[in-house]
C-alpha cells in the first residue's frame, strides 16, 4: 500500500526542489546583463543558469541542456 504525503506551501519552503526532480525545469525572465537586454534563464529554485540575447536562443540553451521550459503565471 502506497502512502502519500500532503505537501503544503509551508512544507514546500523546506523541500529541496532538486529532490523532486525539478532540476530539469527552467523559466525565463526578461533582463539585462552587462548592459545588454535579453533573457535570463533560471532554474526552478530561482538560481540563475545563464543569459541569452534573445528568447529563441534562451529556449535553445534550455533544450540543449535537457531541461524543460515552464511558464510562470
Amino acid at each position: 500500500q502506497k502512502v502519500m504525503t500532503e505537501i503544503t506551501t509551508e512544507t514546500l519552503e523546506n523541500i529541496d526542489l532538486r529532490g523532486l526532480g525539478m532540476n530539469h525545469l527552467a523559466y525565463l525572465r526578461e533582463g539585462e546583463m552587462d548592459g545588454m537586454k535579453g533573457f535570463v534563464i533560471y532554474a526552478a529554485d530561482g538560481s540563475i543558469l545563464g543569459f541569452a540575447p534573445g528568447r529563441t536562443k534562451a529556449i535553445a540553451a534550455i533544450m540543449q541542456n535537457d531541461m524543460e521550459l515552464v511558464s510562470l503565471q
Side-chain angles (χ1 to χ4, degrees), residues 3-22:
V3 177
M4 301 207 48
T5 303
E6 181 179 340
I7 298 176
T8 66
T9 54
E10 289 178 14
T11 57
L12 273 177
E13 293 174 6
N14 298 319
I15 294 175
D16 181 3
L17 294 176
R18 288 170 289 201
L20 293 174
M22 297 185 96

mmCIF file of all heavy atoms in Angstrom, residues 3-22:
data_model
loop_
_atom_site.group_PDB
_atom_site.id
_atom_site.type_symbol
_atom_site.label_atom_id
_atom_site.label_comp_id
_atom_site.label_asym_id
_atom_site.label_seq_id
_atom_site.Cartn_x
_atom_site.Cartn_y
_atom_site.Cartn_z
ATOM 1 N N VAL A 3 1.776 5.168 0.566
ATOM 2 C CA VAL A 3 1.418 6.243 1.483
ATOM 3 C C VAL A 3 1.769 7.557 0.808
ATOM 4 O O VAL A 3 2.878 7.750 0.342
ATOM 5 C CB VAL A 3 2.189 6.118 2.819
ATOM 6 C CG1 VAL A 3 1.868 7.286 3.719
ATOM 7 C CG2 VAL A 3 1.876 4.796 3.490
ATOM 8 N N MET A 4 0.807 8.451 0.709
ATOM 9 C CA MET A 4 1.043 9.738 0.076
ATOM 10 C C MET A 4 1.191 10.804 1.151
ATOM 11 O O MET A 4 0.484 10.789 2.145
ATOM 12 C CB MET A 4 -0.097 10.083 -0.873
ATOM 13 C CG MET A 4 -0.257 9.038 -1.948
ATOM 14 S SD MET A 4 -0.963 9.596 -3.476
ATOM 15 C CE MET A 4 -0.114 11.040 -3.889
ATOM 16 N N THR A 5 2.102 11.692 0.935
ATOM 17 C CA THR A 5 2.317 12.793 1.864
ATOM 18 C C THR A 5 1.744 14.064 1.260
ATOM 19 O O THR A 5 2.015 14.383 0.112
ATOM 20 C CB THR A 5 3.825 12.993 2.119
ATOM 21 O OG1 THR A 5 4.359 11.775 2.613
ATOM 22 C CG2 THR A 5 4.075 14.110 3.100
ATOM 23 N N GLU A 6 0.974 14.779 2.024
ATOM 24 C CA GLU A 6 0.414 16.038 1.555
ATOM 25 C C GLU A 6 1.500 17.112 1.635
ATOM 26 O O GLU A 6 2.156 17.277 2.668
ATOM 27 C CB GLU A 6 -0.778 16.447 2.411
ATOM 28 C CG GLU A 6 -1.418 17.736 1.949
ATOM 29 C CD GLU A 6 -2.624 18.117 2.794
ATOM 30 O OE1 GLU A 6 -3.182 17.246 3.465
ATOM 31 O OE2 GLU A 6 -2.966 19.300 2.778
ATOM 32 N N ILE A 7 1.668 17.817 0.544
ATOM 33 C CA ILE A 7 2.661 18.893 0.512
ATOM 34 C C ILE A 7 1.915 20.220 0.517
ATOM 35 O O ILE A 7 1.087 20.474 -0.344
ATOM 36 C CB ILE A 7 3.559 18.789 -0.734
ATOM 37 C CG1 ILE A 7 4.331 17.477 -0.705
ATOM 38 C CG2 ILE A 7 4.511 19.974 -0.811
ATOM 39 C CD1 ILE A 7 5.161 17.236 -1.930
ATOM 40 N N THR A 8 2.195 21.033 1.485
ATOM 41 C CA THR A 8 1.570 22.350 1.583
ATOM 42 C C THR A 8 2.601 23.415 1.257
ATOM 43 O O THR A 8 3.789 23.136 1.140
ATOM 44 C CB THR A 8 1.030 22.582 3.010
ATOM 45 O OG1 THR A 8 2.146 22.643 3.899
ATOM 46 C CG2 THR A 8 0.083 21.479 3.432
ATOM 47 N N THR A 9 2.137 24.645 1.126
ATOM 48 C CA THR A 9 3.076 25.729 0.843
ATOM 49 C C THR A 9 4.070 25.908 1.982
ATOM 50 O O THR A 9 5.194 26.315 1.765
ATOM 51 C CB THR A 9 2.328 27.056 0.598
ATOM 52 O OG1 THR A 9 1.462 27.317 1.692
ATOM 53 C CG2 THR A 9 1.560 27.009 -0.696
ATOM 54 N N GLU A 10 3.670 25.578 3.195
ATOM 55 C CA GLU A 10 4.588 25.684 4.328
ATOM 56 C C GLU A 10 5.722 24.674 4.194
ATOM 57 O O GLU A 10 6.875 24.997 4.450
ATOM 58 C CB GLU A 10 3.845 25.455 5.644
ATOM 59 C CG GLU A 10 2.926 26.589 6.011
ATOM 60 C CD GLU A 10 2.158 26.306 7.293
ATOM 61 O OE1 GLU A 10 2.527 25.374 8.027
ATOM 62 O OE2 GLU A 10 1.196 27.028 7.559
ATOM 63 N N THR A 11 5.402 23.453 3.789
ATOM 64 C CA THR A 11 6.453 22.445 3.669
ATOM 65 C C THR A 11 7.268 22.633 2.398
ATOM 66 O O THR A 11 8.418 22.231 2.348
ATOM 67 C CB THR A 11 5.873 21.018 3.699
ATOM 68 O OG1 THR A 11 4.912 20.874 2.657
ATOM 69 C CG2 THR A 11 5.250 20.698 5.027
ATOM 70 N N LEU A 12 6.685 23.245 1.371
ATOM 71 C CA LEU A 12 7.429 23.466 0.139
ATOM 72 C C LEU A 12 8.665 24.325 0.369
ATOM 73 O O LEU A 12 9.684 24.147 -0.298
ATOM 74 C CB LEU A 12 6.545 24.125 -0.925
ATOM 75 C CG LEU A 12 5.724 23.193 -1.786
ATOM 76 C CD1 LEU A 12 4.849 23.986 -2.740
ATOM 77 C CD2 LEU A 12 6.593 22.233 -2.545
ATOM 78 N N GLU A 13 8.581 25.238 1.303
ATOM 79 C CA GLU A 13 9.722 26.096 1.588
ATOM 80 C C GLU A 13 10.900 25.287 2.114
ATOM 81 O O GLU A 13 12.044 25.678 1.959
ATOM 82 C CB GLU A 13 9.337 27.168 2.603
ATOM 83 C CG GLU A 13 8.333 28.160 2.061
ATOM 84 C CD GLU A 13 7.864 29.133 3.123
ATOM 85 O OE1 GLU A 13 8.404 29.115 4.242
ATOM 86 O OE2 GLU A 13 6.944 29.901 2.832
ATOM 87 N N ASN A 14 10.645 24.145 2.706
ATOM 88 C CA ASN A 14 11.693 23.339 3.322
ATOM 89 C C ASN A 14 12.136 22.157 2.468
ATOM 90 O O ASN A 14 12.982 21.389 2.883
ATOM 91 C CB ASN A 14 11.216 22.829 4.683
ATOM 92 C CG ASN A 14 10.923 23.968 5.626
ATOM 93 O OD1 ASN A 14 11.662 24.932 5.677
ATOM 94 N ND2 ASN A 14 9.830 23.867 6.343
ATOM 95 N N ILE A 15 11.555 21.995 1.292
ATOM 96 C CA ILE A 15 11.898 20.867 0.429
ATOM 97 C C ILE A 15 12.903 21.318 -0.623
ATOM 98 O O ILE A 15 12.759 22.372 -1.223
ATOM 99 C CB ILE A 15 10.635 20.314 -0.264
ATOM 100 C CG1 ILE A 15 9.690 19.712 0.769
ATOM 101 C CG2 ILE A 15 10.992 19.276 -1.317
ATOM 102 C CD1 ILE A 15 8.377 19.253 0.201
ATOM 103 N N ASP A 16 13.915 20.513 -0.846
ATOM 104 C CA ASP A 16 14.880 20.771 -1.903
ATOM 105 C C ASP A 16 14.211 20.438 -3.225
ATOM 106 O O ASP A 16 13.901 19.289 -3.502
ATOM 107 C CB ASP A 16 16.125 19.905 -1.689
ATOM 108 C CG ASP A 16 17.189 20.125 -2.729
ATOM 109 O OD1 ASP A 16 17.009 20.996 -3.603
ATOM 110 O OD2 ASP A 16 18.195 19.420 -2.673
ATOM 111 N N LEU A 17 13.961 21.452 -4.065
ATOM 112 C CA LEU A 17 13.253 21.235 -5.325
ATOM 113 C C LEU A 17 13.970 20.242 -6.223
ATOM 114 O O LEU A 17 13.346 19.491 -6.952
ATOM 115 C CB LEU A 17 13.073 22.568 -6.063
ATOM 116 C CG LEU A 17 12.173 23.586 -5.381
ATOM 117 C CD1 LEU A 17 12.162 24.890 -6.163
ATOM 118 C CD2 LEU A 17 10.771 23.049 -5.229
ATOM 119 N N ARG A 18 15.292 20.208 -6.156
ATOM 120 C CA ARG A 18 16.035 19.255 -6.977
ATOM 121 C C ARG A 18 15.690 17.826 -6.596
ATOM 122 O O ARG A 18 15.696 16.928 -7.420
ATOM 123 C CB ARG A 18 17.527 19.505 -6.854
ATOM 124 C CG ARG A 18 17.939 20.790 -7.569
ATOM 125 C CD ARG A 18 19.345 21.121 -7.232
ATOM 126 N NE ARG A 18 19.354 21.567 -5.827
ATOM 127 C CZ ARG A 18 20.294 22.291 -5.290
ATOM 128 N NH1 ARG A 18 21.342 22.630 -5.982
ATOM 129 N NH2 ARG A 18 20.223 22.674 -4.040
ATOM 130 N N GLY A 19 15.373 17.612 -5.336
ATOM 131 C CA GLY A 19 14.995 16.286 -4.874
ATOM 132 C C GLY A 19 13.658 15.835 -5.441
ATOM 133 O O GLY A 19 13.345 14.659 -5.449
ATOM 134 N N LEU A 20 12.864 16.763 -5.908
ATOM 135 C CA LEU A 20 11.580 16.441 -6.520
ATOM 136 C C LEU A 20 11.702 16.291 -8.029
ATOM 137 O O LEU A 20 10.707 16.180 -8.731
ATOM 138 C CB LEU A 20 10.550 17.537 -6.213
ATOM 139 C CG LEU A 20 10.131 17.681 -4.764
ATOM 140 C CD1 LEU A 20 9.227 18.888 -4.593
ATOM 141 C CD2 LEU A 20 9.431 16.424 -4.291
ATOM 142 N N GLY A 21 12.916 16.327 -8.553
ATOM 143 C CA GLY A 21 13.117 16.208 -9.990
ATOM 144 C C GLY A 21 12.979 17.524 -10.718
ATOM 145 O O GLY A 21 12.922 17.583 -11.935
ATOM 146 N N MET A 22 12.919 18.611 -9.976
ATOM 147 C CA MET A 22 12.708 19.906 -10.600
ATOM 148 C C MET A 22 14.000 20.526 -11.114
ATOM 149 O O MET A 22 13.994 21.637 -11.612
ATOM 150 C CB MET A 22 11.982 20.843 -9.634
ATOM 151 C CG MET A 22 10.595 20.333 -9.287
ATOM 152 S SD MET A 22 9.673 21.480 -8.284
ATOM 153 C CE MET A 22 8.742 22.313 -9.549
#
